[in-house]
Amino acid sequence: MPPEPVTWPQALAWRMRRQLLDPVADVSATDVVRALGAVAAQSDATTELALGARQLRPRPGELVHAISDGMLVRTFAFRGAVHVATPEDAGVFLALRASSRMWELPSWQTYYGLTPSDWPAFRQAVRDALADGPLTPDDLGETLTAEPAFRHLQKVFADNPWTLLKALAWQGDLCFGPARDGQATLQRLDGNPGWSGLVEVDVAGPRAVESYVRAYGPTTPAHLQYWLGEGLGVRRGHLRTWIAGLGEQLASVEVEGEPALVLREDVEELTAAGPSTTVRLLPRYDQWVLGPGTADPHVVPVAQRAAISRGANLAVVGGVVRGTWSQSDDEVAVAWFEDAPARAAVEREVERLSTVIGRPLRLVADPR
């Protein structure tokens, strides 16, 4: 059978539904994160906005509570950035990060003065240091470097310990704890009741592929490589093996002449989807653009990629970034790249944004 034909407006409308953007859903913050696989989490405010944009009834502070209760884990994941994921999904994604075994490279061994045989003792020392509760990176460094075997790491912790800490996060030894006086803290990941350890890579790989295709399909192997492979990720050969291993679970469609992958169970719903004109105001670095990447011209117009990559808030219409927005006190201004959608549709979205932020907002004139 030839691949089913799909248009890009159809594809993006269906993807918006999968990502709980059209329609939004009566779900928890944890449910939103699970649907997306992982959500960028550089700041609580931006992440709360990304989650609330997908919830029928946003709950201020729900993200912090979900992390505190162990329903979500904040850790280093894709391309070395901080994300939140469920403990179950974190076991999958971290397994892929750890599979690179970057700490065994000669350059790492030279810079950190740690051979592969040193890592079991080092990891245990880290877990022991965090046994009584979260520590700031400075406090963790002070505790570790008090031991003669790791005293040479004093300069690393004084200058920039984050690359070293990422390797520990990938191996499941630590994750982020609650902030303390505005400072990040680190805590043991095995203290999370939902954490069951890293998943075997040969199991984690297909699960990660399926998770991405479910949320970001129709997609391509190139997009999968971008999300799962770039930035200390998995090798292309492994990714091809995992895609092939899913076999009949995946199906091919043709999106305006481009071959793409979806889950076979989703083909009927995808091909029946109609285009969307829904307006959504999303925060900067939202998963809507991070998942496929800002280089995807079907989501981010080529001429606007630089502004979006620099961190502009996203004004999305029918799945395409059509403008940017900003907030000043109780005013929201939207700068459209081209023709603006109906003002009533934008006002409705600003009203919904008010419920996410927790304060009344009003739309003002285009700042141009």
Side-chain angles (χ1 to χ4, degrees), residues 135-145 156-159 161-162 165 183-184 186:
L135 295 174
T136 66
D138 288 344
D139 291 340
L140 176 60
E142 184 177 341
T143 301
L144 290 173
T145 57
V156 172
F157 277 94
D159 292 343
W162 292 109
L165 294 173
Q183 290 190 1
L186 303 163

Side-chain angles (χ1 to χ4, degrees), residues 79-145:
R79 282 168 301 286
V82 179
H83 290 76
V84 288
T86 65
E88 299 82 4
D89 285 339
V92 170
F93 303 140
L94 293 178
L96 303 190
R97 299 280 78 89
S99 69
S100 65
R101 304 189 67 83
M102 297 296 290
W103 53 90
E104 294 183 357
L105 291 174
S107 58
W108 276 59
Q109 295 183 51
T110 299
Y111 186 81
Y112 293 110
L114 296 170
T115 67
S117 63
D118 292 326
W119 272 84
F122 179 55
R123 293 176 60 194
Q124 186 61 54
V126 169
R127 293 192 295 269
D128 290 345
L130 297 173
D132 293 330
L135 295 174
T136 66
D138 288 344
D139 291 340
L140 176 60
E142 184 177 341
T143 301
L144 290 173
T145 57

Side-chain angles (χ1 to χ4, degrees), residues 178-204:
R180 181 185 302 161
D181 298 326
Q183 290 190 1
T185 70
L186 303 163
Q187 63 186 13
R188 287 179 64 148
L189 183 49
D190 61 6
N192 185 308
W195 175 250
S196 56
L198 300 183
V199 177
E200 290 293 329
V201 174
D202 289 343
V203 176

Side-chain angles (χ1 to χ4, degrees), residues 4 14 18 31 33 60 73 143 261 265 352:
E4 292 279 358
W14 179 80
R18 298 314 300 258
D31 292 329
V33 174
V73 172
T143 301
L261 298 171
E265 64 191 48
R352 212 177 64 82

Side-chain angles (χ1 to χ4, degrees), residues 195-284:
W195 175 250
S196 56
L198 300 183
V199 177
E200 290 293 329
V201 174
D202 289 343
V203 176
R207 284 176 57 181
V209 170
E210 181 179 354
S211 171
Y212 183 86
V213 175
R214 188 180 303 279
Y216 295 98
T219 189
T220 65
H223 283 94
L224 281 159
Q225 179 63 34
Y226 163 79
W227 185 240
L228 300 177
E230 287 190 14
L232 313 182
V234 299
R235 296 183 179 91
R236 292 179 185 274
H238 289 168
L239 185 58
R240 287 193 294 268
T241 298
W242 298 334
I243 292 173
L246 286 171
E248 290 298 311
Q249 290 178 252
L250 296 177
S252 294
V253 294
E254 193 171 84
V255 189
E256 297 183 8
E258 299 178 37
L261 298 171
V262 293
L263 295 179
R264 187 169 300 279
E265 64 191 48
D266 293 332
V267 171
E268 184 175 352
E269 184 181 279
L270 169 63
T271 55
S276 171
T277 58
T278 295
V279 176
R280 287 288 175 258
L281 299 180
L282 304 177
R284 60 179 185 167

Side-chain angles (χ1 to χ4, degrees), residues 291-328:
T294 58
D296 188 333
H298 305 296
V299 176
V300 179
V302 174
Q304 311 302 332
R305 181 186 177 191
I308 303 308
S309 297
R310 286 195 299 267
N313 291 326
L314 313 171
V316 175
V317 182
V320 180
V321 179
R322 297 295 189 194
T324 62
W325 64 275
S326 59
Q327 178 194 352
S328 178

